[in-house]
Amino acid sequence: RAPRYRADARAIATDNLLVRELPTTDPSFYSHKLAGEGYPFDNLQVTAVRPGTPLYVIGRSADRAWAYVQAPDVQGWVQAPGVASTDEAFVAQWRTATRAAWGAIIAARAAVSDNTGTFRFYAPAGTLLPLATPRPAGIEAARADADAVLVPIRDLDARAVIRRAVLPAREIAPMPFAATPRHLAVLMKALIGRPYGWGNLGLYNDCSSELQSIFAAFGVWLPRHSSTQMSAGRATDLSGATPAERIAYLVDHGVAMRTLVYIGGHVMLYLGNTVRDGQTVPLVYHDIWGLRPADDS
């Protein structure tokens, strides 16, 4: 029988959720002797869902410990304790708040405790939460010390309830964050040096989720995976060009902060040009696990 939409299947993430191909936390690794395989490249790891993400529960595992959910850009298995069901009252209140003002996390991760003093979750960069009291966009313009946000929590009956939390202004900005070089630097400095997380393993970013996290704060939604991020705008295929020709094209035609570069499963952000040894070369920002020399050494 064809599946039908059920209002009672609506839910929301009340914690960070790892999205899995199968309802298990056990990993599946290929040989570490192959480039890009072995740890940390868990073949069962898809991505992560941030707190506050709307979900639709398609099914549950036999032991009820896992829920198979549809998120805005992915399907997969998530652990049930981080999922809360939503009723009409919750949905109406949440929608009203989100239509008023969003806040975007601009720190690597923000510790979120509600107004009862109870710790609820860590909110990674790019997490979007409705502001309880809207303020003008831009940290400098607002001159606020902190912002109150609304957070979803799961009650004893697995239902979603809204609570308030207060975050320092240095960790959250009214969305959209103005897309300026200074603000891009704020996000980059927050994320540089953190471990690489294939499919958000360990709740860290890989190359595509790093860019997704950054652009979310600017009000730009990017697809989750590197290959589909290439369909988010106008693409130029340079696969038939030499490396030197590709670099020259990027130097001449790249748009700083707006051009993505995709190379065989990896994606990076073009920042502009600089001069090295008397030659103009492009600068890029990316999250990388390792480099493989041409001789496989």
Side-chain angles (χ1 to χ4, degrees):
R1 194 188 314 181
R4 294 181 179 178
Y5 168 77
R6 295 183 297 107
D8 62 357
R10 291 177 297 179
I12 195 167
T14 56
D15 202 348
N16 292 288
L17 300 173
L18 294 180
V19 182
R20 307 284 292 168
E21 294 281 10
L22 296 174
T24 178
T25 56
D26 291 342
S28 171
F29 298 125
Y30 291 147
S31 173
H32 69 278
K33 297 179 180 180
L34 302 174
E37 302 295 349
Y39 178 85
F41 299 94
D42 179 359
N43 297 294
L44 297 183
Q45 180 58 32
V46 181
T47 185
V49 167
R50 296 178 175 90
T53 300
L55 304 171
Y56 184 83
V57 179
I58 298 172
R60 296 186 183 271
S61 59
D63 60 6
R64 311 290 290 179
W66 294 79
Y68 191 79
V69 301
Q70 173 69 61
D73 57 357
V74 69
Q75 281 187 2
W77 291 98
V78 299
Q79 291 184 301
V83 178
S85 62
T86 60
D87 55 20
E88 291 294 343
F90 177 93
V91 171
Q93 187 177 354
W94 193 258
R95 280 179 173 168
T96 298
T98 57
R99 285 169 180 160
W102 282 106
I105 299 299
I106 56 174
R109 67 173 190 173
V112 179
S113 297
D114 66 19
N115 53 329
T116 69
T118 304
F119 172 80
R120 293 302 177 181
F121 49 74
Y122 285 110
T127 300
L128 306 180
L129 294 169
L131 294 177
T133 305
R135 67 177 172 93
I139 292 179
E140 297 87 355
R143 299 189 182 279
D145 295 326
D147 275 304
V149 296
L150 302 183
V151 296
I153 70 166
R154 172 180 158 122
D155 70 9
L156 295 177
D157 296 316
R159 292 191 294 249
V161 179
I162 295 177
R163 293 284 186 268
R164 291 169 64 99
V166 176
L167 295 175
R170 66 179 181 275
E171 295 182 350
I172 189 168
M175 184 186 152
F177 205 28
T180 65
R182 178 187 293 273
H183 288 168
L184 178 63
V186 168
L187 287 156
M188 287 170 53
K189 287 180 179 179
L191 294 171
I192 283 176
R194 291 174 64 77
Y196 177 89
W198 166 258
N200 292 121
L201 190 67
L203 299 176
Y204 296 113
N205 284 339
D206 56 21
C207 63
S208 54
S209 60
E210 184 92 349
L211 297 187
Q212 189 184 51
S213 298
I214 288 174
F215 276 90
F218 298 138
V220 177
W221 182 85
L222 284 179
R224 172 60 181 85
H225 298 291
S226 58
S227 59
T228 51
Q229 285 183 355
M230 291 304 95
S231 64
R234 178 171 53 85
T236 301
D237 185 0
L238 298 176
S239 58
T242 65
E245 290 170 338
R246 296 174 191 173
I247 290 174
Y249 187 92
L250 185 57
V251 167
D252 293 337
H253 301 284
V255 181
M257 296 176 57
R258 291 177 56 188
T259 296
L260 303 184
V261 181
Y262 173 77
I263 305 175
H266 186 63
V267 67
M268 59 195 83
L269 175 64
Y270 169 70
L271 298 179
N273 301 326
T274 189
V275 177
R276 290 282 177 87
D277 299 325
Q279 183 178 2
T280 301
V281 294
L283 285 174
V284 296
Y285 174 84
H286 57 151
D287 193 350
I288 192 168
W289 164 249
L291 293 171
R292 181 182 63 180
D295 62 0
D296 284 335
S297 61

